[in-house]
Each structure stands twice: as structure tokens, then as C-alpha cells.
Amino acid sequence: MLTLNWNIIWTFVDLIVLYVLMKKFLFARVQKVLDQRQEMIQGQMDYAKEQEALANQNLQQAQETVENATKEAREKAQRILEAASKKEKEQLQASEEEAKRILISSRKQAEQERKKLLADTQDEMVTIAMLAARKAVGNNINEEKEKALFEDLLKKVGEA
């Protein structure tokens, strides 16, 4: 037959009482600690998200700064290259003008030397022609008339 053992009943009653006491005193505190821990973790997660957003914003600002600096450096390099090119052209033009000036000066100097040499040659030819004419004709002709005649002759020969 089935008998009910009082020990089993008291064990169940003890367990129920123990459960109620634990629920009232222990589970509420444990749940409170768990809730605080959950709030702390959520706060840290929110803080980490804020820090990540701030880091992304700082990274974006840094990238913009680098892009601006790169752009400014390129513009500055371009201005320097343009200035150097302009200066090079100016120096080249000045060199060409100097070369032209030297060439013109050299031509003038050569022309002057040619004229001087031609005049010297004409004088010598007049003198030689006068000496030859004196010997051929004798010493009767006036020296100034001789010179004038030979210069006239040389001019006519030079024109032809």
C-alpha cells in the first residue's frame, strides 16, 4: 500500500520556504546587481560608439587637411614651375638679344675695318700709281694733280 512519508512532505515544505526566502532576499539583490552590470555594459558600449564616431570625425578632418595641404603644395609647385619657365624664357630672350647686339657690333666693327683697309689700300695704290707715272712721264707733273687724277681713276674703277 501506499504510504505517505512525512519526511518527504517536510522536505517539500522546506524547499518551498527556502525558495520563497531566497526569492525575497537573494534573487532580488542578484537581479539588481545583474541589472546594474547590464546598465554599466550598455553605458560602456554607448561611450565606445561615441568615441568611434569622434575618431571617425577626426580621421575625416585629418584626411581633409592632408588633401588641402596636398592641393596647396601642387598649386605652389605649379606656380613655381610657371615662374621658372617664365624666367627661363626671359633669360633666353635676353641671351638672344645680347647675341644679336654682339653680332651687329661685330658686323659694324668688321665693316669699319674693311673700310679702313680699303682706304689704306687705295692710298697705297695711289702712291704706287703716282710713282709709276712719275717714272713713266718724268717728274714734270704736280704731285697734287697726280693724286687727284689717280683718286678719280680709282673711284671710276671702284664704281665699275
Side-chain angles (χ1 to χ4, degrees):
M1 139 160 198
L2 218 89
T3 61
L4 194 55
N5 191 349
W6 284 98
N7 281 336
I8 293 177
I9 294 175
W10 279 112
T11 303
F12 279 118
V13 170
D14 285 340
L15 283 172
I16 291 172
V17 170
L18 183 64
Y19 175 75
V20 169
L21 288 174
M22 285 180 76
K23 184 176 180 183
K24 182 174 182 164
F25 295 110
L26 183 63
F27 290 153
R29 289 184 182 170
V30 169
Q31 189 62 39
K32 185 178 176 183
V33 168
L34 289 174
D35 289 342
Q36 287 175 349
R37 180 82 172 148
Q38 181 66 29
E39 286 176 13
M40 183 181 75
I41 290 171
Q42 188 61 39
Q44 289 176 347
M45 292 291 285
D46 292 341
Y47 178 74
K49 287 180 182 178
E50 289 174 7
Q51 291 300 316
E52 182 181 12
L54 182 62
N56 287 336
Q57 184 181 6
N58 288 341
L59 177 63
Q60 185 179 8
Q61 287 176 350
Q63 288 174 339
E64 288 174 2
T65 303
V66 168
E67 288 174 6
N68 289 338
T70 303
K71 183 179 177 182
E72 288 176 13
R74 284 185 187 138
E75 290 173 356
K76 190 172 185 178
Q78 184 65 31
R79 285 193 307 265
I80 290 171
L81 287 174
E82 288 172 359
S85 176
K86 183 179 177 182
K87 189 169 186 174
E88 179 184 12
K89 286 179 184 178
E90 289 173 355
Q91 288 177 344
L92 182 61
Q93 186 177 13
S95 296
E96 287 175 354
E97 290 174 2
E98 180 68 16
K100 287 178 184 177
R101 186 188 60 75
I102 290 171
L103 184 62
I104 290 170
S105 174
S106 297
R107 285 182 180 166
K108 285 181 181 178
Q109 187 178 5
E111 182 64 25
Q112 288 173 353
E113 288 179 14
R114 187 185 69 81
K115 286 180 181 178
K116 182 181 176 190
L117 189 60
L118 186 60
D120 289 345
T121 305
Q122 283 179 351
D123 285 345
E124 286 182 29
M125 287 178 68
V126 167
T127 306
I128 291 172
M130 282 179 17
L131 288 174
R134 274 191 196 153
K135 285 191 177 191
V137 174
N139 289 337
N140 295 343
I141 298 180
N142 186 351
E143 208 174 295
E144 289 179 15
K145 282 184 179 180
E146 274 182 28
K147 195 171 186 178
L149 283 173
F150 283 111
E151 285 179 4
D152 188 41
L153 176 66
L154 285 176
K155 284 181 186 176
K156 287 181 182 177
V157 171
E159 291 175 2

